[in-house]
Structure formats: C-alpha cells, structure tokens
Amino acid sequence: VIEAGRALVLAFNKWDLVDEDRRYLLDKEIDRELARVPWARRVNISASTGRAVQKLVPALESALDSWDKRISTGRLNRWLEGVIDANPPPAVSGRRIKIRYMTQPKARPPHFVLFGNQLSALPTSYERFLTNGLRETFALPGVPIRITKRTSENPYEGRKR
C-alpha cells in the first residue's frame, strides 16, 4: 500500500466478541503491529450485529478525498514559513539548512517537493515532522505522503573573485 501510494482504511471485524478489558490491550497491540501505517484510519466493526458498520463508508470517502487532494503552492508556503519559524531544521556541519519553498506537483498520493540547500542532509525526523504537520494541517488522513527533496547548488561556487 505504501509503495503503491494508495489510500488505506483498516476495518477490524468481530469487535463485538472482544470484552471491554481486552479491547484496550488489543488496541495497543494493533498500534504496535501496524507502526508502519499510523496514518491509516481504523474502524472497529461487527458485521453480524452491524456495530459501527456505518462508520466504514465515511472513513473510505475521507481517505479517497485525501488521496485526491491538491493544495496550492501559496497555502503550502505560508504553512511552511510558519513551521520553519517555530521549529527550524537543525544545522549540519555548522551550516544552516535552508528550505526555500514547497510545492505539490501531483496528487494520488499527495506528493510534495521541497526546494532548498543541503536538503540531502535533512534528518528523517524533520521530514517526519513535516509529513505529520502536512497531514494534520491539510486533513490528509488515510494516505501515504511522499516528500521529494530538490537541492539547489550555489551558482557562485568555484568562481574566481
């Protein structure tokens, strides 16, 4: 699902057979086992009793809307500016990583491109921070978010003074 970039909703059936004490433990176990897809919506249902089955279609529609969502470059960059002001990327080898702007070239799944310098040194933790921020701010539940980094080179490097 992640490699194919598809929307994902997980439906857990037979939830009516799980007693109250075990539900909490089972939720924690599911979180641990599915740590690669924490962004996926989960719906606990019971097909035989019909419990929470009505929640399945809205979850699917929400995931498909997220999968198809486009965000304008202006909105992305206003958001990115606020995020960088509040929590700038860490310095690498004494040099500050500068993220200049972000754009979304395509949806299905949402794909974003960061432009700046030294982005190859951007820690994965900061990239995860940006991904989670995008997911929360722009309501992108149930889809993997892809971020590509494009580093611009110094045009004056190597020139004689």
Side-chain angles (χ1 to χ4, degrees):
V1 169
I2 294 171
E3 289 174 11
R6 299 295 185 215
L8 176 65
V9 174
L10 299 168
F12 292 94
N13 195 14
K14 307 276 186 203
W15 205 251
D16 60 327
L17 299 178
V18 181
D19 63 351
E20 290 294 325
D21 297 334
R22 179 77 176 117
R23 284 184 187 170
Y24 175 78
L25 296 172
L26 192 56
D27 267 339
K28 294 298 175 192
E29 185 178 342
I30 290 169
D31 286 342
R32 189 175 56 253
E33 292 294 324
L34 298 173
R36 285 194 50 156
V37 288
W39 44 265
R41 297 273 314 263
R42 285 188 6 207
V43 181
N44 300 325
I45 64 171
S46 172
S48 61
T49 65
R51 178 186 181 274
V53 173
Q54 72 278 5
K55 293 180 182 178
L56 196 53
V57 171
L60 290 168
E61 288 173 345
S62 171
L64 284 174
D65 287 345
S66 297
W67 189 62
D68 211 17
K69 186 178 268 189
R70 302 275 306 167
I71 303 164
S72 72
T73 301
R75 282 184 64 201
L76 277 173
N77 287 312
R78 283 190 295 278
W79 170 80
L80 183 64
E81 184 179 320
V83 167
I84 291 174
D85 286 345
N87 190 2
V92 176
S93 301
R95 293 189 64 197
R96 197 172 65 116
I97 295 175
K98 293 179 193 165
I99 300 174
R100 289 187 177 80
Y101 67 97
M102 177 187 269
T103 188
Q104 182 185 9
K106 66 177 229 166
R108 296 184 171 194
H111 180 211
F112 300 94
V113 180
L114 280 175
F115 291 88
N117 74 338
Q118 292 187 312
L119 292 179
S120 58
L122 190 69
T124 55
S125 60
Y126 198 80
E127 196 172 329
R128 253 190 333 267
F129 167 72
L130 291 175
T131 301
N132 291 335
L134 284 166
R135 190 177 311 285
E136 290 172 16
T137 305
F138 298 108
L140 297 169
V143 293
I145 293 176
R146 295 184 176 159
I147 294 182
T148 303
K149 299 173 277 192
R150 297 251 173 97
T151 301
S152 56
E153 301 300 323
N154 183 350
Y156 301 106
E157 188 176 346
R159 284 191 177 179
K160 293 182 183 179
R161 290 185 186 206

